[in-house]
Amino acid sequence: MRESLLAQKGLIAMGMMVDQTNTFLESSSWKKRFPGLTALFTTKHGGVSQGYFSSLNTGLHVNDQRLDVIHNRHTVARNSGWELNKWIFADQVHGTRVVQVTSRHAGMGTENYSGAVKAADGLWTFDQGVGLSLGFADCVPIYFAEPETGYAGVAHAGWKGSVGNIAGEMIRQAAEAGVCAEKVYVMIGPSIGECCYQVDQRVIDQIPEDISGKGIYETVAEGQYKLNLQELNKQLLLKAGVKEHHIEISGMCTGCYDQLFFSHRRDQGKTGRMSAVIGWRES
Ligand SMILES: [Zn+2]
């Protein structure tokens, strides 16, 4: 199984590696650079969910069996050296609201969707020992880390969150709390790629003008475009003051890598969710 996953085109070259348990990917360079940090993106393997959700669905809000999802979340936590009650989940609404959390919030939303942090698409913290968790099935997971202050964050950016600049909002709030934008490292994880993501004029019109010319989209027909959400977020991060050499782009497409990921577009809405989790482990 592991060999077949790794054999998918370019998987190693992209810089993200499947863990030996097959349940999540990590960036090889971040793993080396930040030994005290967990920053993972789950796959769809190694869980107990059935049917559309087979097998490692980590989303509680998609009508899967609740106990299966909790089991799956425990599996990922255990495989990555955590306890699930140290993680914090959010009720995501495709907005740009970003929330600071602390160790007092540990466990929120881990077993009940209603217990998650309300209406937030970005979470960040200065506390060690908490894992910030958001769910994905094509939208862009953006991971943030700054080792000097112990800042860690994660954002969920679909097209709305991207054009609304949740990436910049993460940096703005961190800066307000004393984190230097130039010292922040950012990783843009797997999401729907431009190969599989066609949008109309309404979306393109909302891309901030000063970055719209930077190779973010390509016209395919009158009023139809292929949009590169990962590049769009990279440009927004540069504008927010993040150093280019601090930004890593996975380049992986959730639509194309069908052996690894759920994809809302490819699976026509009937699918599970991957989780992006980030947190500094207690030292
Ligand atoms: Zn694709």
Side-chain angles (χ1 to χ4, degrees):
M1 165 74 91
R2 180 151 194 251
E3 282 63 35
S4 70
L5 292 179
L6 291 176
Q8 280 218 336
K9 54 177 180 180
L11 190 51
I12 298 172
M14 293 293 189
M16 288 197 89
M17 296 282 294
V18 182
D19 171 77
Q20 58 182 4
T21 64
N22 277 334
T23 53
F24 60 89
L25 296 103
E26 292 172 295
S27 150
S28 330
S29 63
W30 270 40
K31 229 183 137 149
K32 247 180 257 157
R33 192 188 299 273
F34 308 122
L37 184 77
T38 292
L40 63 82
F41 191 68
T42 62
T43 68
K44 62 179 185 182
H45 295 286
V48 296
S49 293
Q50 306 286 316
Y52 303 132
F53 307 115
S54 181
S55 65
L56 191 69
N57 169 42
T58 60
L60 275 173
H61 61 301
V62 291
N63 289 323
D64 190 2
Q65 297 294 317
R66 180 173 158 264
L67 293 179
D68 287 353
V69 177
I70 294 170
H71 182 105
N72 293 343
R73 289 178 169 190
H74 276 293
T75 298
V76 177
R78 195 175 52 244
N79 287 350
S80 54
W82 289 75
E83 285 169 46
L84 184 60
N85 64 14
K86 300 290 184 193
W87 286 2
I88 300 169
F89 289 78
D91 158 38
Q92 300 161 221
V93 292
H94 291 277
T96 54
R97 182 167 173 262
V98 163
V99 175
Q100 181 183 13
V101 293
T102 69
S103 54
R104 291 196 316 276
H105 298 92
M108 282 183 78
T110 51
E111 301 202 348
N112 283 291
Y113 194 75
S114 60
V117 177
K118 288 284 167 252
D121 287 270
L123 297 175
W124 64 274
T125 190
F126 284 128
D127 285 3
Q128 292 183 344
V130 289
L132 314 177
S133 317
L134 296 176
F136 296 84
D138 283 343
C139 294
V140 187
I142 312 177
Y143 303 75
F144 300 77
E146 200 285 288
E148 283 178 33
T149 55
Y151 160 78
V154 64
H156 164 253
W159 77 261
K160 286 184 189 163
S162 297
V163 300
N165 197 9
I166 192 169
E169 177 61 12
M170 291 289 292
I171 296 296
R172 195 193 63 76
Q173 280 198 22
E176 217 171 70
V179 178
C180 176
E182 295 190 346
K183 292 183 178 174
V184 175
Y185 286 79
V186 182
M187 181 173 61
I188 299 175
S191 71
I192 197 85
E194 59 183 337
C195 39
C196 298
Y197 193 47
Q198 203 159 314
V199 299
D200 56 22
Q201 194 68 44
R202 177 180 61 114
V203 174
I204 296 302
D205 285 347
Q206 294 178 62
I207 296 174
E209 236 170 62
D210 52 347
I211 58 164
S212 68
K214 302 200 171 177
I216 291 164
Y217 60 87
E218 206 181 298
T219 309
V220 288
E222 173 86 42
Q224 292 295 317
Y225 306 86
K226 282 179 183 288
L227 176 60
N228 185 337
L229 287 173
Q230 297 185 12
E231 186 62 31
L232 168 56
N233 280 287
K234 180 183 174 180
Q235 293 299 329
L236 290 165
L237 288 159
L238 290 172
K239 206 170 99 173
V242 180
K243 295 272 193 202
E244 184 157 22
H245 66 279
H246 284 186
I247 303 175
E248 179 172 317
I249 292 200
S250 75
M252 294 178 82
C253 172
T254 44
C256 290
Y257 284 87
D258 57 342
Q259 290 185 42
L260 276 179
F261 301 127
F262 299 112
S263 166
H264 193 268
R265 285 222 157 189
R266 187 195 64 226
D267 304 335
Q268 299 177 326
K270 295 174 175 166
T271 198
R273 295 290 180 276
M274 284 80 72
S275 284
V277 184
I278 189 167
W280 294 97
R281 295 184 291 278
E282 264 162 325
S283 54

